Amino acid sequence: YYDFQNSEYTLDGLPYATDPDASLHTIGVSQEAYVPGSDLRLALGYAHSMQHADGNDYDADLDRVSFLASHPVVWKIRATATFAYSHGNYHHDSSRQSGRDDRDDDTATYAIRLDRPVTDWMSAYMGATWIDAESNLGVFDYDRNLYTAGVEFRY
């Protein structure tokens, strides 16, 4: 697959080197499989992204591998667990900290989500995501826990 994204932030007054405006070109492959004799769905993927930020701190090559497992549990609820690992190799010395090399990020993301159909066109869901982002630049080194719940409409 191929994906293109263009990000234009409304962050006026930033120095050019730290302006995150960028275009992102991603090429990737993914494979899904259903385990015979069960309702288990598996998926494996790899993607390479080229982020072009006109020569500033955000120019990068990004690689990502992902794994997904999904299975019905009870009362029409489907549980989905995902894991993704990404590595970001940034092209320029960071302007955020003097004496540092190019930014280098490694991020592991773990997530679980429970979905249940309410009607043919609506589902309810809840989930949790844990992110462990490690970087050689402190401002990009963090852990984050996200919890979500919502209603999804399909047409």
Side-chain angles (χ1 to χ4, degrees):
Y1 66 88
Y2 171 79
D3 182 60
F4 172 77
Q5 296 177 23
N6 189 57
S7 301
E8 295 290 332
Y9 295 89
T10 55
L11 303 171
D12 296 331
L14 285 178
Y16 173 76
T18 60
D19 184 352
D21 292 351
S23 61
L24 185 70
H25 300 269
T26 301
I27 55 173
V29 293
S30 62
Q31 180 65 50
E32 284 192 27
Y34 287 87
V35 176
S38 77
D39 293 323
L40 178 61
R41 178 180 150 235
L42 302 172
L44 183 64
Y46 168 78
H48 176 76
S49 299
M50 296 148 288
Q51 184 166 279
H52 301 286
D54 296 329
N56 71 20
D57 284 0
Y58 291 91
D59 279 341
D61 286 312
L62 309 155
D63 292 288
R64 177 182 173 97
V65 292
S66 59
F67 175 76
L68 173 144
S70 181
H71 194 275
V73 285
V74 65
W75 301 313
K76 298 182 183 179
I77 296 172
R78 176 171 284 275
T80 303
T82 58
F83 169 76
Y85 168 79
S86 63
H87 175 74
N89 181 24
Y90 291 78
H91 298 182
H92 309 289
D93 288 345
S94 177
S95 63
R96 294 178 186 271
Q97 294 182 4
S98 63
R100 289 293 198 149
D101 293 329
D102 300 353
R103 180 176 155 195
D104 187 44
D105 293 354
D106 292 295
T107 304
T109 303
Y110 310 85
I112 187 148
R113 179 171 158 154
L114 301 173
D115 291 270
R116 187 182 192 290
V118 177
T119 68
D120 289 344
W121 49 271
M122 181 174 60
S123 295
Y125 68 88
M126 59 186 283
T129 302
W130 301 272
I131 302 170
D132 177 18
E134 296 182 7
S135 178
N136 63 335
L137 299 181
V139 70
F140 299 106
D141 192 285
Y142 61 90
D143 294 330
R144 181 172 292 155
N145 300 324
L146 305 168
Y147 303 96
T148 59
V151 178
E152 191 172 85
F153 299 94
R154 291 177 300 284
Y155 58 92

